[in-house]
Amino acid sequence: MNETALVLVAHGTRSPRGVEMIAALADAVSEQVGFTRVSFVDVLGPSPAEVLRDITAPAVVVPAFLASGYHVHTDVPREVADSGHHSVSVTRGLGPDPVLADVLLRRLVETGWQPGDAVVLAAAGSSDPRALSDVRRAAVMLSELTGSRVRIGYVDTAEPRVPDVVAGLRVQGEKRVFIASYLLAHGLFHARLADAGADGVAEPLGVDPAIVGLMTDRYRTGVLNSSVVTPALIRLPAGRSAR
């Protein structure tokens, strides 16, 4: 299994702390599976295509996204096609998943949340309905663990925004409101949550043994997947072509 490279695909951030967190996650995963490379679809490089061009061995691309929207359904397949690599398997994203819900709950407890306190699941936001559906599923999973309804707020793009959800809960009489950060790493989005008016903001999911295990499982599924994705088989959006 260690003869197949793992290419972790993250969004990208200008936050040095966020970049370090993604690098640390990749290092932890590499201890489990071997050769691991990091790539980004936005903000900074290298891109998935650039990384794949440097790899001669078979590769498994793991999209490190908590909800599957444009980046997972469009950017990642296009990058694989552009790379020209002919032995690539692309796994599904990291979320939603019960493993993530478990980590979210632990992060909430670490920041002072107690049963009965209101919870807002803060996600990045997307214009893709598929991503918003994934966030709703993540909220249901977390709700099952907290024993109460989990509201959803978005940092960008989608509505409602996190501060509005927090304010609405205050109006409804909630005395303590906590934010569960449905973000993988530190960055601008997570920093904005500090000003949302909550009593506590949980840390991002980050480098956690459970997250490492989840990514390792995605990789192993990709290795065992007999359907190998090649540039010729990837369906690109209308008007786009592989370069």
Side-chain angles (χ1 to χ4, degrees), residues 16 18 35 42 91 213 217 233:
F35 184 34
D42 201 1
T91 76
D217 288 344
L233 295 177

Side-chain angles (χ1 to χ4, degrees), residues 11 21 31-33 62 68 87 94 143 157 173 179 183 188 190 195-197 200 202 241:
H11 180 274
M21 186 173 285
E31 293 179 1
Q32 302 296 320
V33 304
V62 180
S68 295
S87 184
L94 292 185
S143 177
T157 307
I179 294 175
L183 302 168
L188 176 62
H190 183 77
D195 299 322
S241 60

Side-chain angles (χ1 to χ4, degrees), residues 79-112:
E79 289 285 336
V80 174
D82 288 351
S83 74
H85 199 298
H86 290 276
S87 184
V88 182
S89 177
V90 182
T91 76
R92 67 185 183 94
L94 292 185
D97 193 282
V99 169
L100 300 181
D102 287 339
V103 178
L104 285 169
L105 180 61
R106 282 196 280 109
R107 294 284 184 267
L108 281 170
V109 172
E110 289 166 0
T111 202

Side-chain angles (χ1 to χ4, degrees), residues 18-241:
V19 174
E20 291 172 0
M21 186 173 285
I22 296 298
L25 178 61
D27 288 343
V29 171
S30 68
E31 293 179 1
Q32 302 296 320
V33 304
F35 184 34
T36 300
R37 291 283 302 274
V38 175
S39 63
F40 302 95
V41 294
D42 201 1
V43 182
L44 71 165
S47 69
E50 290 171 332
V51 169
L52 286 169
R53 290 188 193 112
D54 288 338
I55 297 173
T56 57
V60 172
V61 172
V62 180
F65 291 87
L66 308 181
S68 295
Y70 183 86
H71 291 309
V72 173
H73 292 293
T74 301
D75 283 340
V76 170
R78 186 182 65 246
E79 289 285 336
V80 174
D82 288 351
S83 74
H85 199 298
H86 290 276
S87 184
V88 182
S89 177
V90 182
T91 76
R92 67 185 183 94
L94 292 185
D97 193 282
V99 169
L100 300 181
D102 287 339
V103 178
L104 285 169
L105 180 61
R106 282 196 280 109
R107 294 284 184 267
L108 281 170
V109 172
E110 289 166 0
T111 202
W113 174 87
Q114 297 177 1
D117 294 336
V119 175
V120 178
L121 182 69
S126 174
S127 58
D128 191 318
R130 294 169 294 188
L132 302 184
S133 177
D134 281 350
V135 174
R136 289 192 293 271
R137 289 174 56 201
V140 170
M141 291 178 185
L142 180 57
S143 177
E144 291 173 349
L145 297 180
T146 62
S148 60
R149 180 184 174 190
V150 172
R151 275 73 170 184
I152 298 172
Y154 296 99
V155 183
D156 193 32
T157 307
E159 298 286 344
R161 298 299 173 88
V162 177
D164 295 332
V165 178
V166 173
L169 287 168
R170 299 289 193 199
V171 171
Q172 294 172 23
E174 296 289 353
K175 295 182 179 179
R176 283 167 44 99
V177 181
F178 286 79
I179 294 175
S181 179
Y182 196 52
L183 302 168
L184 187 61
H186 282 277
L188 176 62
F189 282 1
H190 183 77
R192 290 181 183 176
L193 299 180
D195 299 322
D199 294 282
V201 178
E203 285 289 295
L205 292 167
V207 185
D208 186 276
I211 305 296
V212 173
L214 180 60
M215 185 162 290
T216 300
D217 288 344
R218 293 284 188 273
Y219 167 80
R220 288 172 175 159
T221 298
V223 172
L224 297 175
N225 189 350
S226 59
S227 177
V228 176
V229 178
T230 68
L233 295 177
I234 294 176
R235 180 176 297 175
L236 297 172
R240 303 300 293 268
S241 60

